[in-house]
Amino acid sequence: MEYDQVIAHVANQKIEIDLDDGVKVNCAKFQSVEIPRGEGKKPLKADLLAKI
């Protein structure tokens, strides 16, 4: 369920990737994603991709 929230958050941001930047640069855009959960709650942090 948490993974679905992270995927939805990233998809809604419509992050652009540039194939000329390389894999490491583009993968870094999807690491350490933070999702606010509301007042008084810690943000949800997740890495979407495995380390290279």
Side-chain angles (χ1 to χ4, degrees):
M1 188 156 170
E2 288 180 356
Y3 188 77
D4 288 340
Q5 291 175 349
V6 173
I7 290 292
H9 180 73
V10 170
N12 289 331
Q13 288 181 340
K14 298 180 182 176
I15 298 171
E16 292 187 26
I17 60 172
D18 185 354
L19 298 178
D20 292 330
D21 288 342
V23 174
K24 285 188 177 186
V25 172
N26 288 316
C27 285
K29 295 177 183 180
F30 300 98
Q31 299 298 85
S32 302
V33 176
E34 282 192 27
I35 300 173
R37 298 177 106 185
E39 290 186 37
K41 294 184 180 179
K42 291 182 181 178
L44 176 62
K45 294 181 182 180
D47 291 329
L48 294 179
L49 305 170
K51 277 190 169 182
I52 296 175

